[in-house]
Each structure stands twice: as structure tokens, then as C-alpha cells.
């Protein structure tokens, strides 16, 4: 049986981390039992220079290659600042048409769009570039707040490290959650960021749930922190008793459902404050019932108010 091939399409100006991050996930998966064949392709087969000036050695040209299991297109600082050259879009189109699945990292979505591969599909990119992607691909439904989006066999992911989240999701799709979780732990990254989770949110610290049952609940909360996540509603989602759900949280995460929801909302509120949102906006968007309830959580966790937190970190943010 042939080894599943993951082809990275690289070109001059490609963002190095968009290549290295996902590639490291597949390489680590190989160390832990997978068998991916990682290939680097460029439009002409020549080596390319990344956005950092680091030269990337290429295996061969993209043209004439057999179909790949996964064809991955990283982004570039050059797009969306300017149009994607026609020859670059053409180089993407043919291998993407025959690949088992096509994925982009960050602004790599602009190359997929230029090749007509996002027409009529849901997609995401870095939140700063989402409006421009929507303008260039008017038939595409751009979801600016998602970590990654899957539409059929087409996957798009948000900025920079979201490519790692996407690669972990692909590994999990191929080999199951246990191997993907082992890869995440080996790379000291988090596996809990569901595709629909806000780009601004920070994952809850701690080990991921062991069971798929509890993970479905934590994914639900992280994907929509503003939702109705009372103990009763979460138990209803799993069709279990409130007592059983509380026991799952205690045994696997050493916390309660209410504290977990609160922590997810706290992480999101803190990230929103880091992005420059007002404390009231952060409380609303993070799902807190009121500013006062958010303030109490900040006081308990950080011993400072949300406003004081924002002032303290304003210099480094700017």
C-alpha cells in the first residue's frame, strides 16, 4: 500500500511558519506510528526563498506529479497586499483538482481563491485579511472568526499557528484522536481548539479530555463561549445526567462544568482585551452575563480588574 503523500506547495515569499508548523505535525506523527510521505513542490522545481529570507530546498516541480492525498498551500505576506499572479494560481489548480483533500494555511486561501477552488464554499483566513478574501471571492462564504473551516474536501485555516491546528485535525481524521493527541503533547501544543473556535481565543490550559464524549462538550463550549452552557444544557447535549457529566469533568479535567465554561470565557475575554476591545465589549463577546461577573473572575484569577489588565499590557501590545 503506497504511503499517503502530503505535498506542500512553496513559492518565493512563502511564510516559513506556514510550512514548518504543519510539516512538523506530520513528521511527529510519523515518529509516533503514521507513515506520511512529505513532499515539497514549487512551480518550477527550483528552490524558493521564504518571507524570512531562508531558502527552502524543493523536491521537484508541481507539474506532472501524481495525485496527492493532501495538497497543502501555505500563505504569504505578499497576499492579500497584491493580486495572486496567474502562473501561481495555475500551478495550484491542477494538483488541487486531483488531490484527496486540499488545505490552505493563513493567506494561502488567496491562492486557492485565485485558482477558483473556493467558489461557492465556506472558508477562512487570517482575520485581518478576511474582508479582502470575501471581496476577491464573492461566491465564497468567509468565516473570519474560525480557526479552520472544512467544506467537503477543502480545508482552510486562519493565521500562522492555526496551520498546526489544521494539521492536527488532518492527522486525527487519518489516525484517530489518540495519535493526534500524542502529537500535540509531543509538540507542546493544544489539541482542544475546535475548528469553529474564535481566532482570538486562547485554549484552556491543562490536559485534553481523554474521552470523545467529554471532548464533544468542551469543543461545544470553546466553539461558542456565548452559548447557553448551564449544567443542565450541557448534560442534555450528551444525553447524560447532570451528576454523570459533573463526574466526567471531575475525573478527566479536575474541575466542574461551570468552572470550565468560566475559564474558556475568561481566556477569550483576556484575548479580546489584548486585541484592544473595551472591557464591556470583551464581557459581551466572551459570553459573560455582565461586566461585573467578568470583573469578579479577573479579580479571582489575576487579582486585578479587566481595565487594569488592559492598561498593564497596553505598551507591549502596541
Amino acid at each position: 500500500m503506497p504511503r499517503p503523500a502530503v505535498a506542500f506547495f512553496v513559492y518565493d515569499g512563502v511564510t516559513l511558519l506556514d510550512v514548518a508548523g504543519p510539516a512538523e505535525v506530520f513528521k511527529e506523527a510519523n515518529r509516533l506510528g503514521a507513515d506520511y510521505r512529505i513532499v515539497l513542490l514549487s512551480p518550477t522545481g527550483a528552490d524558493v526563498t521564504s518571507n524570512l529570507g531562508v531558502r527552502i530546498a524543493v523536491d521537484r516541480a508541481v507539474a506532472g506529479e501524481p495525485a496527492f492525498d493532501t495538497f497543502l498551500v501555505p500563505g504569504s505576506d505578499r497576499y492579500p497586499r497584491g493580486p495572486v499572479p496567474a502562473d501561481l494560481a495555475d500551478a495550484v489548480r491542477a494538483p488541487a483538482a486531483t488531490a484527496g483533500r486540499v488545505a490552505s494555511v493563513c493567506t494561502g486561501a488567496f491562492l486557492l481563491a485565485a485558482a477558483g477552488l473556493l467558489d461557492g464554499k465556506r472558508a477562512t483566513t487570517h482575520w485581518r485579511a478576511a474582508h479582502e478574501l470575501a471581496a476577491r471571492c464573492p461566491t465564497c462564504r468567509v468565516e473570519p472568526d474560525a480557526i479552520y473551516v472544512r467544506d467537503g474536501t477543502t480545508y482552510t485555516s486562519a493565521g500562522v499557528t492555526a496551520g498546526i491546528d489544521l494539521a492536527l485535525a488532518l492527522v486525527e481524521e487519518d489516525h484517530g484522536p489518540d495519535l493526534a493527541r500524542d502529537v500535540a503533547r509531543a509538540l507542546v501544543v493544544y489539541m482542544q481548539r475546535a475548528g469553529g473556535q474564535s481566532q482570538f481565543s486562547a485554549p484552556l490550559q491543562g490536559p485534553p479530555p481523554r474521552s470523545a464524549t467529554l471532548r464533544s462538550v468542551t469543543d461545544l463550549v470553546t466553539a461558542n463561549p456565548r452559548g447557553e452552557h448551564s449544567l443542565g444544557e450541557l448534560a442534555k447535549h450528551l444525553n447524560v445526567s447532570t451528576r454523570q457529566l459533573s463526574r466526567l469533568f471531575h475525573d478527566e479535567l479536575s474541575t466542574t462544568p461551570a468552572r470550565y465554561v468560566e475559564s474558556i470565557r475568561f481566556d477569550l475575554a483576556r484575548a479580546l482585551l489584548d486585541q484592544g476591545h473595551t472591557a464591556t465589549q470583551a464581557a459581551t463577546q466572551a459570553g459573560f452575563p455582565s461586566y461585573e461577573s467578568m470583573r469578579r473572575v479577573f479579580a479571582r484569577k489575576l487579582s486585578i480588574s479587566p481595565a487594569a489588565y488592559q492598561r498593564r499590557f497596553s505598551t507591549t501590545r502596541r
Side-chain angles (χ1 to χ4, degrees):
M1 184 174 179
R3 300 170 64 193
V6 179
F8 286 79
F9 179 71
V10 296
Y11 48 93
D12 285 330
V14 69
T15 299
L16 186 60
L17 187 55
D18 286 3
V19 181
E24 191 68 28
V25 170
F26 292 114
K27 182 194 74 66
E28 187 64 26
N30 282 348
R31 190 183 70 81
L32 294 170
D35 193 27
Y36 292 107
R37 180 168 59 91
I38 301 170
V39 184
L40 271 70
L41 309 173
S42 70
T44 65
D47 293 350
V48 301
T49 302
S50 74
N51 65 319
L52 298 182
V54 176
R55 197 155 188 82
I56 300 176
V58 170
D59 294 304
R60 47 192 173 272
V62 70
E65 283 294 308
F68 297 104
D69 299 279
T70 303
F71 183 67
L72 196 148
V73 181
S76 170
D77 297 339
R78 298 175 181 177
Y79 319 111
R81 292 204 304 254
V84 176
D87 60 340
L88 207 55
D90 290 342
V92 167
R93 192 175 293 111
T98 59
R101 59 192 178 196
V102 179
S104 67
V105 179
C106 197
T107 55
F110 282 83
L111 277 71
L112 297 188
L117 300 170
L118 296 184
D119 292 343
K121 295 185 176 180
R122 296 165 49 245
T124 192
T125 187
H126 193 288
W127 60 271
R128 285 197 182 104
H131 181 75
E132 180 64 21
L133 180 63
R136 294 196 195 181
C137 186
T139 66
C140 176
R141 179 180 151 198
V142 179
E143 300 183 7
D145 200 32
I147 293 292
Y148 61 85
V149 169
R150 175 185 179 180
D151 190 321
T153 58
T154 302
Y155 302 71
T156 51
S157 62
V160 198
T161 58
I164 295 175
D165 294 283
L166 175 58
L168 284 169
L170 296 177
V171 169
E172 181 175 6
E173 186 177 290
D174 294 338
H175 297 284
D178 290 341
L179 179 64
R181 188 176 298 114
D182 288 343
V183 171
R185 284 173 172 158
L187 297 179
V188 198
V189 296
Y190 295 96
M191 192 179 161
Q192 290 145 284
R193 298 208 299 180
Q197 185 179 340
S198 168
Q199 290 186 31
F200 295 119
S201 60
L204 181 67
Q205 294 183 3
R210 294 190 302 274
S211 67
T213 300
L214 186 55
R215 190 172 169 202
S216 71
V217 172
T218 58
D219 282 353
L220 176 71
V221 175
T222 54
N224 181 25
R226 296 176 63 178
E228 170 56 47
H229 298 315
S230 65
L231 177 60
E233 286 298 317
L234 292 177
K236 189 184 301 182
H237 174 75
L238 282 186
N239 196 27
V240 299
S241 68
T242 56
R243 183 175 181 179
Q244 183 178 352
L245 182 62
S246 296
R247 184 164 58 247
L248 281 171
F249 269 89
H250 177 271
D251 292 346
E252 296 194 30
L253 298 177
S254 300
T255 189
T256 66
R259 286 296 192 198
Y260 183 88
V261 172
E262 179 185 88
S263 294
I264 290 294
R265 288 172 174 169
F266 167 75
D267 286 341
L268 177 54
R270 188 167 57 174
L272 289 166
L273 290 172
D274 288 343
Q275 293 293 330
H277 293 263
T278 68
T280 301
Q281 290 171 337
T284 300
Q285 292 185 41
F288 283 100
S290 65
Y291 166 77
E292 181 58 29
S293 62
M294 183 180 78
R295 188 197 63 77
R296 288 195 296 269
V297 174
F298 268 74
R300 187 174 69 249
K301 289 179 173 287
L302 301 178
S303 300
I304 56 175
S305 69
Y309 170 85
Q310 194 169 45
R311 285 195 302 271
R312 180 172 296 182
F313 293 99
S314 62
T315 302
T316 53
R317 265 203 324 275
R318 292 171 186 164

